[in-house]
Amino acid sequence: MTIPRRSLRAAGTLAAAAVVGLTGAVLTAGPAAAHTPTWAVTCSEVSLDLTAYNSNVTNQVTVTVDGKDLLPTETFGKEFHKKLELPKHDKELTVHLVVKAGDGDNFSRDETKTAPVCEDAGTPSSAPSAGTPSSAPSTEAPAASATPSEAPSTSAPAAASPSPSSPDLAETGSSSATPVIAGAAVAVLLAGGGIMWSVRKRRTVQH
């Protein structure tokens, strides 16, 4: 049994087409399964980790916060890594991520997350009030320095008062000794007179 050449050629063409189709499917399926758009939102920042994208096409990423651009549209290839600092806030923020893959809309991402309020967000406002007590000691310091300067001026004149009394003590001592000396002189005179009288009396008796 012989097979016509046309049949062989047709079979070869179909086999080649099948191989090409399978190869294209594998190539396109590989990047699709590998796309990994990972991102996280905290109270203070947004972390982006976009990996395993198709480097042969142009990919784009955009991040907005409450409708305002936090990350204007940027292009990237195989990977994109970045940390974005959120503005200070006292209420929750809405963070919107848009990733456009260049190899198909089915690989793109359009997601939204909420940034909570940091627990210590209200503490910086109370910090300036703590600085007020520092001004109080500065007003008390001059008052304390003024009081010691007045004390020596009042005590200096008081030290000079004892000097006038010292001459009076010397004078009173000399005046009290005068009667004693006079009394002693009188006693000497009387004793001398007695002695003279007794001598004369003896002489008269002998004669």
Side-chain angles (χ1 to χ4, degrees), residues 26-187:
V26 172
L27 292 176
T28 55
H35 288 68
T36 309
T38 303
W39 67 302
V41 177
T42 65
C43 69
S44 59
E45 66 178 14
V46 178
S47 301
L48 300 176
D49 292 296
L50 312 178
T51 59
Y53 276 78
N54 189 350
S55 59
N56 296 325
V57 296
T58 300
N59 307 300
Q60 295 180 345
V61 56
T62 306
V63 179
T64 59
V65 175
D66 287 347
K68 298 179 181 180
D69 286 342
L70 182 65
L71 175 68
T73 303
E74 289 192 16
T75 59
F76 66 98
K78 185 177 180 181
E79 296 181 356
F80 183 85
H81 303 278
K82 200 164 191 177
K83 289 186 177 182
L84 308 171
E85 184 178 356
L86 289 171
K88 293 182 179 180
H89 53 281
D90 55 2
K91 63 180 181 179
E92 293 182 348
L93 300 177
T94 301
V95 183
H96 185 201
L97 171 70
V98 176
V99 179
K100 292 184 178 181
D103 50 358
D105 291 339
N106 55 327
F107 307 134
S108 300
R109 292 289 182 272
D110 190 335
E111 300 176 358
T112 301
K113 292 185 179 182
T114 301
V117 178
C118 296
E119 294 181 358
D120 57 347
T123 53
S125 60
S126 60
S129 62
T132 53
S134 61
S135 60
S138 62
T139 57
E140 295 177 359
S145 62
T147 51
S149 62
E150 296 176 358
S153 62
T154 56
S155 61
S161 60
S163 60
S165 62
S166 57
D168 295 339
L169 294 175
E171 291 176 2
T172 54
S174 60
S175 61
S176 61
T178 302
V180 177
I181 297 172
V186 172

Side-chain angles (χ1 to χ4, degrees), residues 12-22:
T13 302
L14 291 174
V19 171
V20 171
L22 290 173

